[in-house]
Amino acid sequence: MRYFSYILALLAGAALSFEGAIYGELGKTIGQLETSFYNFVMGSIILGLLWIFFGKGKLSYAVQAPKWSLLGGVLGVVYLTSIVISIPFVGVGITMVAIIIGQLVMSMVIEHFGWLGSPKARINKERVFAVISMIIALILIN
């Protein structure tokens, strides 16, 4: 299952690059905020259908969840809209590498302190080297 998860994550990353390129172009035609809105409307329709037929949880329990755990929707809007705005100016590659750097840095901070229920994993020299390597990649790709 672990290797399947790696493959699934790689496919998600590839899909994100396609999505970013597509939405960057769509944003030029219909507008950047409109493109993000379109994404969430279509996603809501598709997920709504999947939920109706295959959902096993209880969406009504969202009111009982910790309030901070509901911020994911807000962060998703920030994430996608940032991609839609950035790609036409700097390109897919630079945008994606910058996103990965941001993800690496923040995930290291979250794990270092064990925030949001995450298991603790100290920041070490290997992790810092990984971030520095990604920053070098960003400079070289530019």
Side-chain angles (χ1 to χ4, degrees):
M1 186 63 179
R2 182 179 197 162
Y3 294 111
F4 176 74
S5 296
Y6 291 151
I7 292 168
L8 191 60
L10 286 170
L11 291 173
L16 181 61
S17 291
F18 273 110
E19 178 187 38
I22 290 166
Y23 283 155
E25 196 59 33
L26 184 61
K28 292 177 190 176
T29 306
I30 69 171
Q32 295 163 333
L33 294 178
E34 292 79 2
T35 296
S36 290
F37 181 74
Y38 168 81
N39 174 75
F40 288 104
V41 168
M42 293 306 297
S44 295
I45 291 169
I46 293 167
L47 282 173
L49 291 171
L50 290 171
W51 170 55
I52 288 169
F53 292 105
F54 303 107
K56 292 183 170 71
K58 298 282 186 197
L59 190 58
S60 61
Y61 288 178
V63 295
Q64 297 173 356
K67 299 306 175 225
W68 61 264
S69 68
L70 301 175
L71 288 174
V74 173
L75 295 174
V77 170
V78 170
Y79 178 70
L80 180 70
T81 305
S82 298
I83 289 172
V84 171
I85 292 169
S86 298
I87 284 178
F89 292 103
V90 297
V92 177
I94 292 172
T95 300
M96 293 302 148
V97 172
I99 287 169
I100 293 168
I101 292 169
Q103 289 174 330
L104 280 172
V105 170
M106 189 49 60
S107 66
M108 287 183 351
V109 170
I110 290 168
E111 289 179 343
H112 181 80
F113 293 106
W115 292 344
L116 309 173
S118 177
K120 284 190 175 187
R122 293 276 178 215
I123 295 175
N124 57 31
K125 62 184 176 192
E126 290 85 4
R127 289 174 174 231
V128 171
F129 181 70
V131 171
I132 291 169
S133 298
M134 291 300 297
I135 292 170
I136 292 168
L138 181 63
I139 292 166
L140 292 174
I141 228 172
N142 195 3

Coordinates of all heavy atoms in Angstrom, one line a residue, residues 3 5 28 33 38 42 45 48 64 70 82 84 87 92 100 109-110 112-115:
Y3 N 3.8 1.8 -1.5 CA 4.3 2.1 -2.8 C 3.1 2.6 -3.7 O 3.3 3.5 -4.6 CB 5.0 0.9 -3.5 CG 6.3 0.6 -2.7 CD1 6.4 -0.6 -2.0 CD2 7.3 1.5 -2.7 CE1 7.5 -0.8 -1.3 CE2 8.5 1.2 -2.0 CZ 8.6 0.0 -1.3 OH 9.7 -0.2 -0.6
S5 N 0.7 4.4 -2.6 CA 0.5 5.8 -2.2 C 1.5 6.7 -2.8 O 1.2 7.8 -3.2 CB 0.7 5.9 -0.7 OG -0.4 5.1 -0.1
K28 N -7.1 33.4 -18.4 CA -6.9 34.5 -19.4 C -8.2 34.8 -20.2 O -8.4 35.9 -20.6 CB -5.8 34.1 -20.4 CG -4.4 34.0 -19.9 CD -3.5 33.6 -21.0 CE -2.1 33.2 -20.5 NZ -1.2 32.7 -21.5
L33 N -10.4 34.8 -10.9 CA -11.4 34.4 -9.8 C -12.5 33.5 -10.4 O -12.9 32.6 -9.8 CB -11.9 35.6 -9.1 CG -10.9 36.4 -8.3 CD1 -11.6 37.7 -7.7 CD2 -10.2 35.6 -7.3
Y38 N -15.1 28.4 -11.1 CA -15.5 27.3 -12.0 C -14.9 25.9 -11.5 O -15.7 24.9 -11.4 CB -15.0 27.5 -13.4 CG -15.1 26.3 -14.3 CD1 -16.3 26.0 -14.9 CD2 -14.0 25.5 -14.5 CE1 -16.4 24.9 -15.7 CE2 -14.1 24.4 -15.3 CZ -15.2 24.1 -16.0 OH -15.3 23.0 -16.7
M42 N -17.5 22.9 -10.4 CA -17.4 21.5 -11.0 C -17.0 20.5 -10.1 O -17.5 19.4 -10.0 CB -16.4 21.6 -12.2 CG -16.9 22.5 -13.4 SD -18.5 22.0 -14.0 CE -18.3 20.4 -14.6
I45 N -19.9 19.6 -7.8 CA -20.9 18.7 -8.5 C -20.4 17.3 -8.6 O -21.1 16.3 -8.2 CB -21.2 19.3 -9.9 CG1 -21.9 20.6 -9.8 CG2 -22.0 18.3 -10.8 CD1 -22.0 21.4 -11.1
G48 N -20.2 15.8 -5.1 CA -21.5 15.6 -4.6 C -22.1 14.3 -5.1 O -22.8 13.6 -4.4
Q64 N -19.2 19.4 14.6 CA -18.6 18.8 15.8 C -17.1 18.8 15.7 O -16.4 18.5 16.7 CB -19.1 17.4 16.1 CG -20.6 17.4 16.4 CD -21.2 16.0 16.5 OE1 -20.5 15.1 16.3 NE2 -22.5 16.0 16.9
L70 N -11.7 23.0 9.8 CA -12.5 23.4 8.7 C -11.9 24.4 7.8 O -12.4 24.8 6.8 CB -13.8 23.9 9.3 CG -14.6 23.0 10.1 CD1 -15.9 23.6 10.7 CD2 -15.0 21.7 9.3
S82 N -4.0 31.1 -6.2 CA -2.6 31.5 -6.4 C -1.9 30.9 -7.6 O -1.2 31.5 -8.3 CB -1.8 31.1 -5.1 OG -2.2 31.8 -4.0
V84 N -3.6 29.8 -10.4 CA -4.2 30.5 -11.5 C -3.6 31.8 -11.8 O -3.4 32.2 -13.0 CB -5.7 30.6 -11.3 CG1 -6.4 31.4 -12.5 CG2 -6.4 29.2 -11.3
I87 N 0.7 31.2 -12.8 CA 1.2 30.5 -14.0 C 1.3 31.3 -15.2 O 2.3 31.3 -15.9 CB 0.3 29.2 -14.2 CG1 0.8 28.1 -13.2 CG2 0.5 28.7 -15.7 CD1 0.0 26.8 -13.3
V92 N 4.4 27.2 -15.6 CA 4.0 26.0 -14.8 C 5.1 25.5 -14.0 O 5.0 25.2 -12.8 CB 3.5 24.9 -15.7 CG1 3.1 23.6 -14.9 CG2 2.3 25.3 -16.5
I100 N 6.1 23.5 -4.2 CA 6.8 22.4 -3.5 C 7.7 22.9 -2.4 O 7.7 22.3 -1.3 CB 7.5 21.4 -4.5 CG1 6.5 20.7 -5.4 CG2 8.4 20.4 -3.7 CD1 7.2 20.0 -6.6
V109 N 8.0 22.5 9.4 CA 7.6 23.3 10.6 C 6.4 22.6 11.4 O 6.5 22.4 12.6 CB 7.2 24.7 10.3 CG1 6.6 25.5 11.5 CG2 8.4 25.5 9.7
I110 N 5.4 22.1 10.6 CA 4.3 21.4 11.2 C 4.8 20.2 11.9 O 4.4 19.9 13.1 CB 3.2 21.1 10.2 CG1 2.5 22.4 9.7 CG2 2.2 20.1 10.7 CD1 1.7 22.2 8.5
H112 N 7.8 19.4 12.9 CA 8.8 19.7 14.0 C 8.1 20.0 15.3 O 8.5 19.5 16.3 CB 9.7 20.9 13.6 CG 10.7 21.3 14.6 ND1 11.9 20.6 14.7 CD2 10.7 22.3 15.5 CE1 12.6 21.2 15.7 NE2 11.9 22.2 16.2
F113 N 7.0 20.7 15.2 CA 6.3 21.1 16.4 C 5.1 20.1 16.7 O 4.5 20.3 17.8 CB 5.8 22.5 16.3 CG 6.9 23.6 16.3 CD1 7.2 24.2 15.2 CD2 7.6 23.8 17.5 CE1 8.2 25.1 15.1 CE2 8.6 24.8 17.5 CZ 8.9 25.4 16.3
G114 N 4.8 19.2 15.8 CA 3.7 18.3 16.0 C 2.4 19.0 15.9 O 1.4 18.5 16.6
W115 N 2.3 20.0 15.1 CA 1.0 20.8 15.0 C 0.0 19.9 14.3 O 0.3 19.1 13.5 CB 1.2 22.1 14.3 CG 2.0 23.1 15.0 CD1 2.3 23.2 16.3 CD2 2.6 24.3 14.4 NE1 3.1 24.3 16.6 CE2 3.3 25.0 15.4 CE3 2.7 24.8 13.1 CZ2 4.0 26.1 15.2 CZ3 3.4 25.9 12.9 CH2 4.0 26.6 13.9

